[in-house]
Amino acid sequence: MEKTSQSDSQSDCACANEAGISPSIFKEGHGIGVARRWRIPLNFSRSLLSLAIFLGGCGADAPKPAPQAETKPAEPAVPEDIQLAAKALLGSESQVLAFGDLAKNGKQEFLAADVVPKTPTNNLPGTIVTRVVVAENTDGQWAELLRCDEHLKNQKGFLGLTPLVPVTGWRLQYEQNGEKGLQLYFTPLKGAIDTHVLPIGVRWNPATKRYQSLDRTYEHFLLESPSMQDARSTLR
């Protein structure tokens, strides 16, 4: 009887140990419980993550709209009489580049040019022109004061520093000075034998009351010449 009891007891212990060490995946009830216990914290973590993303998005600064580009004021329309005068002096393709009291002498003037349009073959920087005219209104009549075509000329003749050989194209630069008035800079592009590193400066001379070229310092006016041979560097 004791042996039987001992063997039964050992058998019960063995069964109990086997039940305790049996892997949980082979027990349906125990496995389902574990799965449920893990599912709840996972769902809770996902909720916290979503909430954190939402709060983070609310706390971040909203993207600011890109600032609008500053709009330049529209340029005043060119008066009809100026357009007609420019076409009469240069032709129908002329463009009026500036007008008003350009020389600061109280008279109305305009600057017009035949501008070469930009093309794949003409990609030179700046404003490329073939002809330029500055005209002045006196008693309702427009009169030409300065002309740039193959050479630089005014009412008295060829300007100083103008190239001795014909020029077919120029780079034109101009600016309006509050005291000195319109300042023009002509750079010959081709057709001249001698190369001009610096542009030829031209400005209104109050002393002579006409547009004249400047020396290389852009401070002293040069006298014009009736012939090309002397139209180089006569100082005034």
Side-chain angles (χ1 to χ4, degrees):
M1 293 296 293
E2 291 179 358
K3 292 183 180 180
T4 303
S5 298
Q6 185 177 2
S7 60
D8 292 340
S9 175
Q10 292 177 352
S11 177
D12 292 338
C13 290
C15 292
N17 292 335
E18 290 177 1
I21 63 175
S22 176
S24 59
I25 59 174
F26 296 110
K27 294 188 178 183
E28 181 177 357
H30 182 69
I32 294 176
V34 172
R36 289 177 179 174
R37 286 197 300 270
W38 277 102
R39 187 180 297 117
I40 294 174
L42 181 59
N43 292 338
F44 182 71
S45 300
R46 290 177 178 173
S47 300
L48 288 179
L49 181 59
S50 301
L51 180 60
I53 295 174
F54 175 78
L55 293 177
C58 294
D61 293 336
K64 298 179 180 180
Q68 295 182 354
E70 295 182 1
T71 57
K72 295 182 179 181
E75 296 183 359
V78 179
E80 184 178 2
D81 63 324
I82 293 179
Q83 291 181 340
L84 293 175
K87 291 180 180 180
L89 293 173
L90 287 181
S92 59
E93 300 299 323
S94 63
Q95 298 182 28
V96 177
L97 304 179
F99 62 93
D101 186 7
L102 302 182
K104 301 301 178 184
N105 59 359
K107 294 185 178 181
Q108 291 295 305
E109 297 180 354
F110 70 80
L111 169 67
D114 285 341
V115 180
V116 179
K118 296 294 183 182
T119 62
T121 57
N122 173 33
N123 55 2
L124 296 173
T127 303
I128 309 302
V129 299
T130 55
R131 296 186 300 167
V132 179
V133 160
V134 176
E136 178 185 83
N137 190 318
T138 303
D139 299 328
Q141 299 294 324
W142 290 99
E144 181 178 310
L145 300 181
L146 174 70
R147 174 174 285 267
C148 169
D149 43 28
E150 294 179 339
H151 303 282
L152 297 172
K153 298 171 285 188
N154 63 10
Q155 310 97 308
K156 295 293 184 178
F158 298 94
L159 301 190
L161 298 181
T162 187
L164 296 177
V165 297
V167 177
T168 57
W170 304 79
R171 177 181 292 109
L172 172 64
Q173 298 169 279
Y174 61 94
E175 59 183 7
Q176 188 70 19
N177 184 281
E179 297 180 358
K180 299 179 180 180
L182 180 64
Q183 301 183 96
L184 301 161
Y185 301 93
F186 297 91
T187 304
L189 296 180
K190 54 185 177 179
I193 296 177
D194 53 337
T195 58
H196 293 257
V197 178
L198 296 176
I200 301 172
V202 177
R203 180 163 50 86
W204 175 262
N205 186 350
T208 61
K209 299 187 184 304
R210 59 181 178 265
Y211 282 93
Q212 292 180 307
S213 58
L214 300 162
D215 65 0
R216 288 307 187 191
T217 67
Y218 300 107
E219 295 180 358
H220 306 287
F221 287 99
L222 302 175
L223 289 176
E224 51 281 292
S225 175
S227 65
M228 283 299 301
Q229 294 179 355
D230 300 327
R232 297 302 295 168
S233 59
T234 306
L235 285 173
R236 177 175 176 77

